[in-house]
Amino acid sequence: MTPSAKYADLVLPACTQFETWGVTDGWKYGEEVFLAPKIVDPPFETKSDYRICVDLSKKFGVYEQFTEGGRDEKDWVAWFVDEIYRKTRFPDMPPFRKFAASNAGVYTKPVYEPKIALEKFSQNPLEYPLNTPSGKIEIFSVELFKEGQADEIPPVAKYIREWDNPFDEKAEKYPLQAMGHHYNPRVHSTHDNNQWTMNGFPQRVFINPADASKRGINDGDMVRIWNERGAMILKSRITKRIMPGVIDIPQGAWYDPDEKGIDRGGNVNILTSEKWTPFAKGNAQHTIMVDIEKA
Amino acid sequence: MKTYGFYIDTVNCSGCKTCQVACQDKNDLEPGHLWRKIIDIEGGDWKNDNGVFSEYPFAYHVSLACNHCSDPLCVQSCPTQAMHVTDIGAVDIDQDKCIGCGYCTWACPYDAPKLDKRTGRMSKCDLCYDRITKNENPSCVDACPMRALDFGDIEVLKEKYGNTRSIFPLASPELTKPNIIIRPHKNSLKASVRNASIANREEL
Amino acid sequence: MEKYNLALVVFTWLTQASVGLIILRAIYMRRSSAGDDKIYITGRYILLTAFILLVTGLLFSFAHLNYPRHAFNALNNIISSWMSREILAEIILLFILLAWYIINGFTIKKTPQIIMEILAGLSGVALIYLMVRTYMLPSLQGLNTPAFPLSFIITPLLSGSAIIYFFLRKSEPELAIKYKLFFAIIFLFSLINHLIFRAFHHTLGVFNIYSAFYLAALIISVPSLYSTLKNKNVMSDVIFLNLAIICDFLNRVYALTYTNPAL
Ligand code: SF4
Ligand code: SF4
């Protein structure tokens, strides 16, 4: 069971991606559309997330509004391809019915000629201004300046010290910076239960030999990592590939507390701050100071 | 008869282990039972200049399965003749003879034969016999996202990629005449001088 | 070597103890001043012990196979496999000892005894040579040190002299002392050899279970040897011999498990 399922009062059987229709594009910058057709029927009682919501919407009496006239998963995918993609980023894309029937799976926007970034602007900035308040490339952003938090949202690009950093007084108590890099065997937390990939890349805390020897930690020792927010015990990997003064706990591992509430799964989130990043209001993942000791 | 071999490009290999998992998938191996494994090498060190660290460490990866050597020590050492050279020149194990003594693993400088705990006998890379006889590449080769592996007649590979047969930490090719061609990572030259070592022993 | 293979450690150790017994028995048969009958009986006991050790060793070697059902295949590759040869030599020695023991029961004439003695001695030495070859593989860097073959010579002499000492302790104390002194010397060699082995392996710290046992044995050896020379029978005797044997055994465990794997 996933840690979030353990927290849930009610667990609904959602089916996998292969058992329902879906579509995605190459995220923000890609020039592809990927179709994810339904390959098999959902087994047993499982339903797609959308179907679960539709059934709920019936109970709430908002079926018509929620489904916008009774659309199912496939209808939505068709609508998205025909009404959104074809009308905006991918005008030359075949209509959904043809695209799905061709079984191509992927549509790639054709490239007719090499593209140069900001081409027109660089030739004639007056006639083709950029989409910024000044129409120029802004080294000093007035908009950001208006946010009024120059310390945390500086209008010029500059180094900002983390909230938790090695230069504070607090660093005397927690002298090591911790980061959680994206780890090879997982996509965030997906595949943490995949034995094949996790066996190739076991969840470890990576420590530089200099920091390890100071604390008498040998490769493979169990190590307690803690700060004022939480603690975990994890096996160590001593490696020069991490900088002295920094430890690395790959992100995405499943939270697995023991009886004392100490995480054994190596979930870096128990050490992170809950303070949002000032501008994007995201989670501030890399502002962690910790100390470690042999467990 | 052709002699098959692998090409291993340690310059492009990112150490992602896709090849390892593809092999496990194809051959239904349990987690931890590795016919192909990736050795992470690291060396060098950090230089502390009055609180400013400069970067000197280096790392590279070697993806290694059985090299189907021309002079296989495993075949020579196996007390039962279970370890043998097959009709396509691959080194393979006759499960009807193997006693699971593990002696081949000690003899092999590449640690290629592995005990299959389910059968109590040894097991190893068979060059994807079913695939190469259909003119397909072995699973690991086709799975590599960096195109860091290649497979084929060793003479053809030699012409294409040169004739480097070893890289730190692999044994001297004199020992078993392995059928691998290696594109050496630039840091492998430093490896012997700059105290390089295997960084992921627990994963091998 | 990939895993901790205690079965193999016991196998090599018992087999070598058996070979050591056979060789040191030959000396006993010639040096003892007891009556012929007495010598014959003691000699027969020693022979039986050697046989039992060898059989037990062989049984342990089975324990190390992951698929013992095919065990007889192990003799398939005499042409090129040192392990096949080792097992063959082991079986030959086993039959020689068995035959010797039977012949010994029928006749006490000198000539057949000496023939069997020579046969057993030669195949015993051959067996030890083959054992060394089996483990000294070019790919196992950790075992390619002089300390490893040396330990295969030290163990037979050490365990052999200890067992014979226990046989003679009560009945022929004079000769027993000589065996004990010999044992003490070999123990020193074992200690030196352990240090040589360590010089090639830095994985273990300076002080650990191995060094602890060697140190203990070394300390206890002083009162033990002293009392032996004074012709007193004391506990330290037993302790010393046992400790020294344990040391040598641990040395073998160390050699076969802490060697660098091929990679
Ligand atoms: S790599 Fe090892 S197992 Fe493969 S043929 Fe060579 S010696 Fe044998
Ligand atoms: S799949 Fe390719 S890049 Fe990844 S570890 Fe294997 S050889 Fe290297």
Side-chain angles (χ1 to χ4, degrees), chain C residues 3-136:
Chain C
K3 61 184 173 194
Y4 195 94
N5 225 325
L6 208 53
L8 218 54
V9 174
V10 177
F11 159 67
T12 59
W13 209 86
L14 291 180
T15 306
Q16 286 163 17
S18 166
V19 173
L21 264 188
I22 293 161
I23 291 166
L24 293 172
R25 179 187 177 277
I27 296 172
Y28 164 74
M29 299 301 279
R30 283 160 187 77
R31 279 303 171 85
S32 175
S33 47
D36 273 1
D37 278 4
K38 185 90 206 13
I39 297 178
Y40 169 77
I41 290 172
T42 315
R44 195 166 161 75
Y45 273 130
I46 297 175
L47 187 57
L48 184 64
T49 315
F51 180 73
I52 291 170
L53 285 176
L54 199 66
V55 174
T56 324
L58 200 62
L59 288 179
F60 267 97
S61 82
F62 274 95
H64 127 90
L65 301 185
N66 282 294
Y67 202 71
R69 211 187 303 167
H70 285 167
F72 281 106
N73 288 343
L75 293 172
N76 279 1
N77 202 5
I78 305 288
I79 313 164
S80 75
S81 169
W82 287 107
M83 187 181 257
S84 278
R85 295 170 193 166
E86 176 197 356
I87 295 163
L88 184 68
E90 171 105 11
I91 291 171
I92 290 176
L93 182 60
L94 197 88
F95 278 109
I96 291 178
L97 288 193
L98 188 63
W100 188 2
Y101 190 69
I102 294 170
I103 293 171
N104 197 293
F106 284 119
T107 166
I108 51 166
K109 279 206 199 100
K110 278 269 150 67
T111 333
Q113 300 292 338
I114 289 175
I115 291 175
M116 289 319 277
E117 207 167 50
I118 291 173
L119 273 182
L122 285 182
S123 58
V125 171
L127 174 57
I128 290 191
Y129 170 72
L130 292 173
M131 276 186 151
V132 170
R133 291 304 303 255
T134 304
Y135 295 101
M136 276 189 88

Side-chain angles (χ1 to χ4, degrees), chain B residues 76-79 103 106-107 201, chain C residues 73 77 80-81 84 134 139 263:
Chain B
Q76 189 196 318
S77 309
C78 171
Y103 195 43
W106 309 345
R201 190 147 263 147
Chain C
N73 288 343
N77 202 5
S80 75
S81 169
S84 278
T134 304
S139 49
L263 274 173

Side-chain angles (χ1 to χ4, degrees), chain A residues 196 200 204 237 239-240, chain B residues 17 29 42 44 46 202-203:
Chain A
W196 271 340
R204 296 288 177 262
R237 171 76 57 84
T239 171
K240 290 173 200 155
Chain B
K17 302 205 183 192
L29 306 180
E42 67 176 37
W46 293 81
E202 105 179 271
E203 292 160 15

